[in-house]
Amino acid sequence: MNDEIRETYHSEEYELYYANLDERTQTKYDYVESIIKTQYVVNQKFVKHLENTEFYEARVSIKTNEYRTVLFAVDSTSFMESKRVLFLNSFLKKDNKQYKSEVEIARKILSKYKQEGNEND
């Protein structure tokens, strides 16, 4: 039985970042992704809308390290209603000023993704 509510897709940039994480951090990333896939309502501890953008962020906390992954709801303007979620780029959060540049990176990745015709995956 498949209990998944959402399908997730990963950009090359996300895959590269994930591959360079240590095993413990990858396990935590996998846990957050499983919540995204299987829970209709996802607690803001794990996913939060990025204000004034079309993006959301997946949130992974390990001790004092705060990791963020910029997400895009492929088939809906609402994350909760989305059935397909794209993991765009990930980073270790240092400060709030960092978000602007990370959102710009996410926009470029999303643009490339759409140009390649993947939005109908």
Side-chain angles (χ1 to χ4, degrees):
M1 185 170 124
N2 188 349
D3 295 323
E4 290 186 4
I5 295 166
R6 294 177 191 88
E7 293 178 72
T8 58
Y9 304 91
H10 303 151
S11 71
E12 291 175 25
E13 292 82 353
Y14 173 81
E15 289 286 349
L16 182 62
Y17 188 87
Y18 177 88
N20 287 300
L21 295 171
D22 63 73
E23 186 177 340
R24 180 175 181 221
T25 306
Q26 284 183 352
T27 299
K28 188 74 179 228
Y29 265 69
D30 293 345
Y31 173 70
V32 171
E33 185 169 357
S34 74
I35 288 171
I36 289 168
K37 286 180 173 183
T38 59
Q39 294 185 14
Y40 180 69
V41 177
V42 179
N43 188 305
Q44 281 195 356
K45 176 181 175 185
F46 301 111
V47 173
K48 186 176 178 184
H49 182 257
L50 292 175
E51 290 183 23
N52 303 316
T53 75
E54 66 273 35
F55 300 114
Y56 294 81
E57 67 175 355
R59 305 160 65 107
V60 173
S61 299
I62 299 176
K63 294 187 179 180
T64 60
N65 290 328
E66 297 290 330
Y67 295 90
R68 300 294 186 255
T69 301
V70 180
L71 308 175
F72 180 71
V74 175
D75 57 345
S76 178
T77 56
S78 165
F79 178 84
M80 215 165 65
E81 294 172 7
S82 180
K83 301 286 184 218
R84 298 183 350 230
V85 176
L86 176 60
F87 286 55
L88 293 166
N89 58 309
S90 199
F91 59 98
L92 176 60
K93 181 181 171 189
K94 296 177 183 134
D95 59 42
N96 287 336
K97 294 176 186 175
Q98 186 177 8
Y99 278 95
K100 187 174 182 178
S101 64
E102 295 297 338
V103 165
E104 284 308 310
I105 291 168
R107 282 196 173 103
K108 288 176 184 171
I109 296 168
L110 183 58
S111 177
K112 181 177 82 170
Y113 178 81
K114 287 180 175 180
Q115 285 176 358
E116 292 172 356
N118 293 316
E119 69 266 16
N120 294 321
D121 275 350

